[in-house]
Amino acid sequence: VHRKTKNFAEAMQCFEEQLTLAKELGDKTGIAVAKGNIGKVFIDYSDNSKALDCFDFQLKIFEELGDKTGISMAKANLGIVYQKTKEFSKALTCFDEAIAIGTELKQNFSLCSYLLNKAKLLQAVNKPHEAEKAAKESLKTAETAKRKKIIIQAKEFLKNSV
């Protein structure tokens, strides 16, 4: 809620409390989720270095736990940071890895978002045909998952990129 209202200080405080509680409970999944949430706040603050640290930490925990869903989420988060820092090759690798896991696990809810992020990246690196393909796949997956926000974003992307 606080991130959506742009109240970043309160969002950070809330997620720091989430992290503290997860640590107290010894909940590694909770720790990883909290670090991911903190990383997203750092993205909102445009502190990509700290966001990258959070998502790297998140990925390590999910890998340690063997949590493929968490790994795909962390890879997608890393891809977003790499795209923002113009490390396009690393971003593409992260998105492709997230997409591969999402496809394997049939995670259509997350997969459509990963595909749209990849489409935006491909557009940014002047690969319009590949971008269009990823966006169409995102749209199809979003329709299957009934993710209205991603459906709208994918349609808008396709309208503006053609």
Side-chain angles (χ1 to χ4, degrees):
V1 172
H2 298 299
R3 278 186 66 226
K4 289 183 180 182
T5 61
K6 304 290 185 206
N7 193 335
F8 301 126
E10 284 189 29
M12 186 61 79
Q13 180 181 352
C14 180
F15 295 138
E16 289 286 355
E17 289 172 8
Q18 177 189 24
L19 178 60
T20 299
L21 181 59
K23 285 179 178 179
E24 288 173 4
L25 295 172
D27 177 6
K28 288 190 174 199
T29 299
I31 292 168
V33 170
K35 284 298 259 189
N37 287 335
I38 292 168
K40 289 176 185 176
V41 174
F42 281 127
I43 286 175
D44 294 339
Y45 277 124
S46 297
D47 192 335
N48 295 319
S49 175
K50 287 183 181 175
L52 190 62
D53 289 343
C54 286
F55 297 138
D56 277 333
F57 185 87
Q58 180 186 47
L59 177 61
K60 286 182 178 99
I61 291 176
F62 283 136
E63 287 175 336
E64 179 183 308
L65 295 171
D67 181 339
K68 286 186 174 185
T69 299
I71 292 168
S72 68
M73 179 176 51
K75 291 281 187 177
N77 287 337
L78 285 165
I80 291 166
V81 176
Y82 287 132
Q83 184 170 355
K84 287 183 174 290
T85 59
K86 306 218 181 302
E87 295 179 73
F88 298 126
S89 177
K90 287 181 180 181
L92 185 59
T93 297
C94 287
F95 289 143
D96 283 341
E97 290 172 352
I99 289 166
I101 295 169
T103 301
E104 174 192 342
L105 299 179
K106 296 179 175 58
Q107 298 174 311
N108 289 341
F109 190 84
S110 300
L111 184 59
C112 58
S113 178
Y114 303 161
L115 287 161
L116 188 56
N117 284 336
K118 179 179 179 178
K120 291 173 183 176
L121 171 66
L122 291 167
Q123 187 73 21
V125 297
N126 201 26
K127 294 188 177 183
H129 298 297
E130 292 177 50
E132 182 180 5
K133 180 181 175 193
K136 285 180 178 178
E137 200 172 337
S138 172
L139 176 59
K140 180 180 171 187
T141 307
E143 289 171 340
T144 300
K146 297 179 177 30
R147 289 212 50 200
K148 291 179 180 162
K149 182 178 177 182
I150 302 296
I151 292 168
I152 292 166
Q153 290 174 346
K155 284 181 178 179
E156 189 69 22
F157 179 89
L158 288 165
K159 182 177 105 179
N160 291 330
S161 65
V162 177

